[in-house]
Amino acid sequence: MMRIDYAELEKIVLSLTDGEDDPVALMATLACELHHSDDRFDWTGFYRVTAPEMLKIGPYQGGHGCLVIPFSHGVCGAAARTGEAQLVEDVDAFPGHIACASSTRSEIVLPVRDASGALIAVLDIDSNQPAAFDATDAAGLAGILEQVFAK
């Protein structure tokens, strides 16, 4: 099984995004690189903050996702609402989980902030494997998000 080398991935992502400041272009590039970097990643994408307390699907890789997610619902909403990474080992055990894809067994969602600290999106990665993500993933992904979006 392929597992991410976050230090190497960060170098690649920073090289690909050097000089770019458009958030959607950055999200599209990062979703693509992440999705193809690890076999655990079944769906990889962003939900953008498009209105108060509302997330709308952004660039992603994988099958169709939910189009709109309120901050009050699901794992993505919890990450947006609390500003904290959500590591969910079993999505069926998460109260209020939104089943966008029946294949999803576990999930990690991280808040995405711009240079001013404002929440602009969440990064959502789903896996068809149970308990696919851990604190190493959360830290590695958070570091990349900070380097790309909060510079």
Side-chain angles (χ1 to χ4, degrees):
M1 173 187 280
M2 188 169 47
R3 184 92 177 192
I4 287 184
D5 175 344
Y6 284 104
E8 183 61 27
L9 180 63
E10 184 172 314
K11 288 179 194 172
I12 293 167
V13 167
L14 291 178
S15 173
L16 290 168
T17 60
D18 185 43
E20 183 56 63
D21 62 2
D22 179 78
V24 174
L26 293 169
M27 289 176 195
T29 302
L30 191 51
C32 181
E33 280 304 306
L34 285 172
H35 190 71
H36 296 288
S37 67
D38 196 306
D39 293 339
R40 298 171 296 161
F41 296 5
D42 193 48
W43 192 96
T44 310
F46 291 87
Y47 283 92
R48 299 169 298 115
V49 177
T50 58
E53 306 287 308
M54 191 62 63
L55 298 166
K56 191 170 282 192
I57 199 163
Y60 69 91
Q61 299 276 311
H64 293 287
C66 299
L67 296 181
V68 178
I69 300 175
F71 281 23
S72 59
H73 290 82
V75 182
C76 290
R81 190 172 61 252
T82 65
E84 297 176 0
Q86 304 292 308
L87 278 162
V88 180
E89 293 185 354
D90 177 3
V91 296
D92 293 332
F94 188 91
H97 174 256
I98 302 168
C100 296
S102 60
S103 61
T104 301
R105 305 303 318 138
S106 61
E107 167 170 24
I108 185 171
V109 182
L110 294 97
V112 180
R113 298 190 180 281
D114 66 13
S116 74
L119 181 72
I120 60 169
V122 297
L123 170 64
D124 178 17
I125 303 175
D126 298 348
S127 180
N128 56 10
Q129 305 167 28
F133 308 107
D134 58 25
T136 301
D137 297 303
L141 292 166
I144 291 170
L145 291 172
E146 183 175 348
Q147 288 291 315
V148 172
F149 294 99
K151 58 185 171 188

